[in-house]
Amino acid sequence: MAEKLAALGIDSVQDLLFHLPLRYQDRTRITPIGALQPGVDAVIEGEIKAADISFGKRRSLVCRIQDGTGTVTLRFYHFNATQQQNLAAGTRLRCYGEPRRGASGLEFYHPEYQAIAEQAPAMAESLTAIYPSTEGLSQQSWRKLTDQALTMLKPQTLVDWLPPELELAGEALTLEQAIHYLHRPPTDANTQQLVEGAHRYQQRLAFEELLAHHLSVQQLRLQTRCQPAPPMDDDGELATRFRQQLGFQLTNAQQRVSEEIADDLKQPKPMLRLVQGDVGSGKTVVAALAALKAVACGYQVAIMAPTEVLAEQHFNNFCQWFEPLGLNLAWLSGKIKGKRRQQQLDAIQSHEAMVIIGTHALFQDDVSYAKLGLVIIDEQHRFGVHQRLALKNKGRREIGHPHQLVMTATPIPRTLAMTAYADLDCSQIDELPPGRTPVNTVAIDSTKRSRVVERIQAACSEGQQAYWVCTLIEESEALSAEAAEVTCENLRNSLPDLKIGLVHGRLKAAEKTEIMQAFKQHQLDLLVATTVIEVGVDVPNASLMIIENAERLGLSQLHQLRGRVGRGSAVSHCVLMYQNPLGKQSKRRLQIMRDSNDGFVIAEKDLEMRGPGELLGTRQTGLMLLKIADLERDHHLLEKVKSAATLLLQQYPSHVEPLVKRWLLHGDQYAHV
Ligand code: ADP
Ligand code: MG
């Protein structure tokens, strides 16, 4: 039992008390069989009239049970001889469960049940808690365990770490009361509220949990900041030469953010900065300027991107920018093997390579840096906190902790940024380079495909370029590649004058690069692609984008894709092709895309429609391991969480550690990753 509990992170009585129910059942009264509703939990009592084995599609034990108001079926697919005996005709039975519509009218599938001897067992006096569980631990075991834990719960056994100044910690809301209530809610409890997690006791605990998470991230940040980092300050000569060859002026926003970064880099403590900027806002140049500062001061820079395609594009970009300045670059990805890989590794270790660009491969064990001073991570939302921290560990003790710059195009709503990225300072590039015109977005029924094809013909004969995006219909990369091949064939047939290329995830890296380069150099008019082009690809001359089955994609993904056009001076168009009939959600998404080009507006709507876990892709970061709070449901608490954290840190610093320990699976999980 202890082992099973430990697997769920339960090592102590306190852990057990904080293992809160998922939902509740009302077992305080008996429902007449005639009054059962499908989908509504109920307790029934009656006599088994018949018990037979039925040989339908699957063998099952079927009991008909009657109480004078009606008859209902219990169905068991798994049963042994003893159970069969216990469920013989004539037995009086009490049973708990959720009736559903089945082959013979309402049916209970594998209900909990209890035979009734002479004396009927007492009814429950409170709502029955249903606990999150694991294999081999029944709900009965959970109830026994929590019963034991609750008897140990006397006033003052749980220290309330929330400061009394907070209104939440009012007298009516002691921690013991809240915990007791949520394990064993009284019969008059507002079940609806409990189910929705809106009950004030749940909110009290959710608040405390969010506070604990917030504090733990803050602690991590403090720990990091206490470490020494190499201060970087130079005369700016390299940056000036870079800017002269750039061919455009920085926007005010780029200028401002670059200065914020330069200020951080001067410090003898590690920079931890997140740069948010909508797609096309020009984050790469800002990263390049940061890199130049580090290089000018004699340090190496590692630049990591989430995909092969994007990393390679960065590599090409930085080569064009940096080689004329006399800098050496290295390139690492999982696909670079053997001798070539060894060459790169040697160059990194000997400091011959100053700027190292690649994918996750950058922080594998055999990569050792001579003098890593700055780590730049592009498209942060694809990486977890773990990966971010792993790269930082490539620094050397004698040099200090590398500075860290994280760039993301997925605008993170402010409230979430505060919690998910509390360990980072934020800068925003809130301005697009001049001369951009907003992308004009339309939604078109896929039956009008031929009109879309004509439009591509017209645009391309005027010298423009277009993307045709085939969305992932099948889970497998192989099948979606196949679908893209078919689409590409069809388009080649209907557009014989155009030069059409195809990229998908199954191509070799070299093939992908070759095709992307051909498109960039306008040797291709139309690029048919799976969503591999989603992140970061930059071809300013492309001004038309068709997204097939757009109704299947989420808002952020659509916005990312659309960001591939509208980068040049021509008016750009995005055609969202959809298949009828459209669901309500899909319809709303397409409408939002037509109404707005603003990444922040879209991210807020996305959060509203999908919830933060998916938006941030942070399931694996530990942040989403919440027991009772739900970031989406409870994000109205976050402002208050922030001020409570400040209060606690300033006035009650000794409360911080025990509070974090209470809520986090392993109190130091952030520190260890
Ligand atoms: P993102 O922020 O999406 O990563 P990029 O860095 O790829 O954007 O920049 C998008 C395009 O805008 C690139 O072609 C880049 O050269 C160009 N660009 C960046 N900054 C400016 C600027 N200040 N003026 C003109 N063009 C710019
Ligand atoms: Mg980018």
XYZ file of all heavy atoms in Angstrom, residues 125-127 181 184-190:
88
model
N -23.742 9.682 5.441
C -24.213 10.925 6.046
C -23.664 12.154 5.357
O -24.083 13.277 5.621
C -23.850 10.945 7.530
C -24.856 10.124 8.330
C -24.425 9.921 9.753
O -23.470 10.605 10.177
O -25.050 9.089 10.424
N -22.671 11.932 4.514
C -22.168 13.068 3.741
C -22.064 12.623 2.290
O -22.216 11.437 1.987
C -20.805 13.499 4.279
O -19.909 12.415 4.206
N -21.799 13.576 1.412
C -21.582 13.208 0.013
C -20.371 12.292 -0.050
O -19.443 12.423 0.736
C -21.335 14.461 -0.832
C -22.537 15.390 -0.984
C -22.145 16.620 -1.794
C -23.707 14.670 -1.645
N -14.139 19.439 5.039
C -15.323 19.649 4.213
C -15.173 18.996 2.843
O -16.080 18.353 2.329
C -15.539 21.152 4.061
C -16.868 21.543 3.461
C -17.928 21.913 4.280
C -17.053 21.569 2.086
C -19.150 22.285 3.743
C -18.267 21.937 1.533
C -19.314 22.296 2.365
O -20.516 22.666 1.837
N -15.305 15.163 3.116
C -16.609 14.650 3.554
C -17.650 15.767 3.547
O -18.078 16.236 4.603
C -16.496 14.094 4.996
C -15.484 12.975 5.184
C -15.943 11.661 4.558
N -14.916 10.639 4.701
C -13.981 10.378 3.774
N -13.943 11.045 2.638
N -13.086 9.438 3.977
N -18.058 16.198 2.392
C -19.017 17.324 2.352
C -20.351 16.911 2.985
O -20.798 15.788 2.768
C -19.205 17.590 0.861
C -18.196 16.765 0.151
C -17.739 15.690 1.072
N -20.954 17.793 3.769
C -22.245 17.469 4.378
C -23.320 17.330 3.302
O -23.143 17.775 2.168
C -22.530 18.670 5.273
C -21.727 19.776 4.695
C -20.513 19.150 4.099
N -24.439 16.704 3.692
C -25.479 16.435 2.699
C -26.074 17.697 2.105
O -26.563 17.687 0.984
C -26.624 15.627 3.326
O -26.926 16.229 4.574
C -26.232 14.196 3.517
N -26.019 18.806 2.865
C -26.611 20.028 2.311
C -25.603 20.827 1.500
O -25.854 21.972 1.136
C -27.216 20.881 3.438
C -26.148 21.329 4.434
O -24.979 20.874 4.299
O -26.471 22.114 5.325
N -24.434 20.260 1.221
C -23.422 21.001 0.458
C -23.953 21.302 -0.941
O -24.783 20.575 -1.475
C -22.144 20.179 0.364
N -23.450 22.382 -1.495
C -23.827 22.753 -2.854
C -23.030 21.884 -3.835
O -21.900 22.195 -4.194
C -23.534 24.240 -3.063
C -24.058 24.732 -4.399
O -24.151 23.961 -5.355
N -24.398 26.001 -4.455
